[in-house]
Amino acid sequence: MPPPTTIFERQSRLAQELGAINLGQGFPDMPEIGHGPRALLDAAARALTERSSQYPPMRGLPALRSAIADYYEREQALTITPEEVVVTSGATEALAAALLALVRPGDEVVLVQPLYDAYLPLVERAGGVARLIDLTPPDWTLPLDALEAAMSERTRVLLLNTPNNPTGSRIDAATWTSIATLCVRHDVTLICDEVWEAMIFAGTHVSPLSIPGLRGRTVKIGSAGKIFSLTGWKVGWACAAPPLADAIAATHQFLTFTTAPALQWAVAEGLALPADWHDAHRDPYRHARAFLVERLATAGYAVLPGAATWFVIIDLAASGIALDDETFAHRLLVEAGVATIPVSAFYATAPQTGYVRLCFAKDEATLASAADKLADFRRALT
């Protein structure tokens, strides 16, 4: 039997049928972004007409692998060689290749809820056994005691996501040091989904590749789609020490094998753009987030902190709303015409049911209209 349609698809489909505002699905729809950064679109067009469109190297174009290494050296002070980079057709393929390479039937994989919806199915496809622990709301911190209790001699992989989707929370250097101790003690490989690393609007990103105890046992997952607001390009990568990178490449060759070369050349040019370009690219998101948060607060909603990703989270109970998140999301869509995502959708078991996620990567007029509808809906409820 095929898996059920995800709530993301269901909410988006119903929003389209009802003509509702879609703050559920996480894609940018902003005039400043348009179809994507002009520099990358032009680079892709040039590459398509002036360069080869035949199979590129399985592990990725040398130019892109070098650009990824250089980008991380500039942005995060990481020392990564091109040989440690495997280019994939999106970050989800990088996750799939890593899990299929590292997990054998019966191996345990520790996952942290709320979690991206692909994690658990990919672990199960690899034959792994998931051990689930939960972030602690409302700050969505990682409970190290629960993490330690979840690890055993059967634990093969720990899969983490920072910045976290949907919460926007991040793992700091001190927590990474504690995680390193646990991974070394149990001989666990870390897969770290860092696709939101370039969408942080306050503070800095800390990659586990910067932690000595984790450098040789970590797979870092990145995404050009998130860095450049080009979600449909599906250009991702995995960075890891050579033995891990080789294992991932061996799996990747039998998944997508390679990725469109024109897009690879364009991403390579984009990653070489200076830091001020990347900061300017974040500005529309920074302003959109501040605008929506202010309007929601004025309407009486309690918005949780979390200055990363394209999402904000409303705390329903703290907002004076006595509904669970699924009921709230459904009624808000049907009665007020705004689609959101219940955070319980990011849980496989024992979900938190008091929070909803909204995507703020929309134009100001759309956000203003959505905020007005949310305000009216809350007044009707209370």
Side-chain angles (χ1 to χ4, degrees), residues 66-79:
S66 294
I68 291 167
D70 292 343
Y71 172 80
Y72 284 135
E73 182 175 16
R74 291 193 314 273
E75 294 291 322
Q76 299 177 21
L78 300 176
T79 301

PDB file of all heavy atoms in Angstrom, residues 66-79:
ATOM      1  N   SER A  66      34.905  22.205  -5.424  1.00  0.00           N
ATOM      2  CA  SER A  66      35.867  23.192  -4.911  1.00  0.00           C
ATOM      3  C   SER A  66      35.152  24.417  -4.356  1.00  0.00           C
ATOM      4  O   SER A  66      35.542  24.965  -3.310  1.00  0.00           O
ATOM      5  CB  SER A  66      36.837  23.614  -6.016  1.00  0.00           C
ATOM      6  OG  SER A  66      37.652  22.533  -6.410  1.00  0.00           O
ATOM      7  N   ALA A  67      34.086  24.855  -5.042  1.00  0.00           N
ATOM      8  CA  ALA A  67      33.341  26.030  -4.582  1.00  0.00           C
ATOM      9  C   ALA A  67      32.672  25.775  -3.232  1.00  0.00           C
ATOM     10  O   ALA A  67      32.611  26.668  -2.379  1.00  0.00           O
ATOM     11  CB  ALA A  67      32.300  26.423  -5.624  1.00  0.00           C
ATOM     12  N   ILE A  68      32.160  24.563  -3.035  1.00  0.00           N
ATOM     13  CA  ILE A  68      31.548  24.211  -1.749  1.00  0.00           C
ATOM     14  C   ILE A  68      32.590  24.270  -0.641  1.00  0.00           C
ATOM     15  O   ILE A  68      32.353  24.838   0.439  1.00  0.00           O
ATOM     16  CB  ILE A  68      30.893  22.820  -1.831  1.00  0.00           C
ATOM     17  CG1 ILE A  68      29.672  22.866  -2.754  1.00  0.00           C
ATOM     18  CG2 ILE A  68      30.492  22.312  -0.453  1.00  0.00           C
ATOM     19  CD1 ILE A  68      29.140  21.508  -3.162  1.00  0.00           C
ATOM     20  N   ALA A  69      33.761  23.695  -0.890  1.00  0.00           N
ATOM     21  CA  ALA A  69      34.827  23.723   0.111  1.00  0.00           C
ATOM     22  C   ALA A  69      35.242  25.159   0.420  1.00  0.00           C
ATOM     23  O   ALA A  69      35.412  25.536   1.591  1.00  0.00           O
ATOM     24  CB  ALA A  69      36.020  22.901  -0.385  1.00  0.00           C
ATOM     25  N   ASP A  70      35.408  25.979  -0.614  1.00  0.00           N
ATOM     26  CA  ASP A  70      35.811  27.375  -0.407  1.00  0.00           C
ATOM     27  C   ASP A  70      34.732  28.155   0.346  1.00  0.00           C
ATOM     28  O   ASP A  70      35.042  28.987   1.209  1.00  0.00           O
ATOM     29  CB  ASP A  70      36.095  28.047  -1.754  1.00  0.00           C
ATOM     30  CG  ASP A  70      37.321  27.483  -2.449  1.00  0.00           C
ATOM     31  OD1 ASP A  70      38.131  26.813  -1.785  1.00  0.00           O
ATOM     32  OD2 ASP A  70      37.457  27.714  -3.674  1.00  0.00           O
ATOM     33  N   TYR A  71      33.476  27.908   0.006  1.00  0.00           N
ATOM     34  CA  TYR A  71      32.366  28.606   0.665  1.00  0.00           C
ATOM     35  C   TYR A  71      32.364  28.331   2.163  1.00  0.00           C
ATOM     36  O   TYR A  71      32.223  29.246   2.984  1.00  0.00           O
ATOM     37  CB  TYR A  71      31.057  28.150   0.026  1.00  0.00           C
ATOM     38  CG  TYR A  71      29.805  28.644   0.718  1.00  0.00           C
ATOM     39  CD1 TYR A  71      29.331  29.933   0.501  1.00  0.00           C
ATOM     40  CD2 TYR A  71      29.085  27.802   1.571  1.00  0.00           C
ATOM     41  CE1 TYR A  71      28.166  30.374   1.129  1.00  0.00           C
ATOM     42  CE2 TYR A  71      27.923  28.241   2.201  1.00  0.00           C
ATOM     43  CZ  TYR A  71      27.476  29.525   1.983  1.00  0.00           C
ATOM     44  OH  TYR A  71      26.326  29.956   2.611  1.00  0.00           O
ATOM     45  N   TYR A  72      32.526  27.066   2.534  1.00  0.00           N
ATOM     46  CA  TYR A  72      32.496  26.742   3.954  1.00  0.00           C
ATOM     47  C   TYR A  72      33.732  27.274   4.686  1.00  0.00           C
ATOM     48  O   TYR A  72      33.654  27.601   5.874  1.00  0.00           O
ATOM     49  CB  TYR A  72      32.356  25.233   4.152  1.00  0.00           C
ATOM     50  CG  TYR A  72      30.952  24.743   3.902  1.00  0.00           C
ATOM     51  CD1 TYR A  72      30.710  23.603   3.140  1.00  0.00           C
ATOM     52  CD2 TYR A  72      29.858  25.417   4.428  1.00  0.00           C
ATOM     53  CE1 TYR A  72      29.415  23.158   2.913  1.00  0.00           C
ATOM     54  CE2 TYR A  72      28.560  24.980   4.202  1.00  0.00           C
ATOM     55  CZ  TYR A  72      28.348  23.853   3.451  1.00  0.00           C
ATOM     56  OH  TYR A  72      27.060  23.424   3.227  1.00  0.00           O
ATOM     57  N   GLU A  73      34.841  27.383   4.000  1.00  0.00           N
ATOM     58  CA  GLU A  73      36.015  27.982   4.642  1.00  0.00           C
ATOM     59  C   GLU A  73      35.756  29.455   4.941  1.00  0.00           C
ATOM     60  O   GLU A  73      36.081  29.942   6.027  1.00  0.00           O
ATOM     61  CB  GLU A  73      37.251  27.830   3.758  1.00  0.00           C
ATOM     62  CG  GLU A  73      38.517  28.390   4.407  1.00  0.00           C
ATOM     63  CD  GLU A  73      39.766  28.141   3.580  1.00  0.00           C
ATOM     64  OE1 GLU A  73      39.640  27.813   2.392  1.00  0.00           O
ATOM     65  OE2 GLU A  73      40.872  28.290   4.139  1.00  0.00           O
ATOM     66  N   ARG A  74      35.155  30.174   3.994  1.00  0.00           N
ATOM     67  CA  ARG A  74      34.877  31.594   4.195  1.00  0.00           C
ATOM     68  C   ARG A  74      33.759  31.818   5.218  1.00  0.00           C
ATOM     69  O   ARG A  74      33.867  32.678   6.089  1.00  0.00           O
ATOM     70  CB  ARG A  74      34.454  32.252   2.871  1.00  0.00           C
ATOM     71  CG  ARG A  74      35.539  32.378   1.843  1.00  0.00           C
ATOM     72  CD  ARG A  74      35.094  33.327   0.721  1.00  0.00           C
ATOM     73  NE  ARG A  74      33.744  33.066   0.243  1.00  0.00           N
ATOM     74  CZ  ARG A  74      33.442  32.192  -0.701  1.00  0.00           C
ATOM     75  NH1 ARG A  74      34.404  31.463  -1.276  1.00  0.00           N
ATOM     76  NH2 ARG A  74      32.191  32.027  -1.087  1.00  0.00           N
ATOM     77  N   GLU A  75      32.689  31.055   5.082  1.00  0.00           N
ATOM     78  CA  GLU A  75      31.494  31.325   5.880  1.00  0.00           C
ATOM     79  C   GLU A  75      31.535  30.704   7.275  1.00  0.00           C
ATOM     80  O   GLU A  75      30.965  31.260   8.213  1.00  0.00           O
ATOM     81  CB  GLU A  75      30.254  30.801   5.135  1.00  0.00           C
ATOM     82  CG  GLU A  75      29.950  31.521   3.839  1.00  0.00           C
ATOM     83  CD  GLU A  75      29.471  32.943   4.059  1.00  0.00           C
ATOM     84  OE1 GLU A  75      28.720  33.179   5.019  1.00  0.00           O
ATOM     85  OE2 GLU A  75      29.850  33.822   3.251  1.00  0.00           O
ATOM     86  N   GLN A  76      32.183  29.549   7.426  1.00  0.00           N
ATOM     87  CA  GLN A  76      32.134  28.838   8.701  1.00  0.00           C
ATOM     88  C   GLN A  76      33.505  28.425   9.228  1.00  0.00           C
ATOM     89  O   GLN A  76      33.588  27.703  10.223  1.00  0.00           O
ATOM     90  CB  GLN A  76      31.233  27.604   8.565  1.00  0.00           C
ATOM     91  CG  GLN A  76      29.792  27.951   8.205  1.00  0.00           C
ATOM     92  CD  GLN A  76      28.923  26.735   8.000  1.00  0.00           C
ATOM     93  OE1 GLN A  76      29.237  25.631   8.476  1.00  0.00           O
ATOM     94  NE2 GLN A  76      27.810  26.899   7.308  1.00  0.00           N
ATOM     95  N   ALA A  77      34.562  28.876   8.548  1.00  0.00           N
ATOM     96  CA  ALA A  77      35.936  28.551   8.960  1.00  0.00           C
ATOM     97  C   ALA A  77      36.172  27.047   9.030  1.00  0.00           C
ATOM     98  O   ALA A  77      36.911  26.557   9.891  1.00  0.00           O
ATOM     99  CB  ALA A  77      36.272  29.214  10.300  1.00  0.00           C
ATOM    100  N   LEU A  78      35.554  26.300   8.109  1.00  0.00           N
ATOM    101  CA  LEU A  78      35.743  24.854   8.040  1.00  0.00           C
ATOM    102  C   LEU A  78      36.794  24.520   6.993  1.00  0.00           C
ATOM    103  O   LEU A  78      36.828  25.132   5.929  1.00  0.00           O
ATOM    104  CB  LEU A  78      34.432  24.154   7.680  1.00  0.00           C
ATOM    105  CG  LEU A  78      33.261  24.345   8.639  1.00  0.00           C
ATOM    106  CD1 LEU A  78      32.016  23.656   8.080  1.00  0.00           C
ATOM    107  CD2 LEU A  78      33.588  23.816  10.027  1.00  0.00           C
ATOM    108  N   THR A  79      37.623  23.545   7.289  1.00  0.00           N
ATOM    109  CA  THR A  79      38.605  23.062   6.325  1.00  0.00           C
ATOM    110  C   THR A  79      38.084  21.772   5.714  1.00  0.00           C
ATOM    111  O   THR A  79      38.090  20.715   6.347  1.00  0.00           O
ATOM    112  CB  THR A  79      39.969  22.827   6.998  1.00  0.00           C
ATOM    113  OG1 THR A  79      40.424  24.049   7.578  1.00  0.00           O
ATOM    114  CG2 THR A  79      40.982  22.343   5.973  1.00  0.00           C
TER     115      THR A  79
END
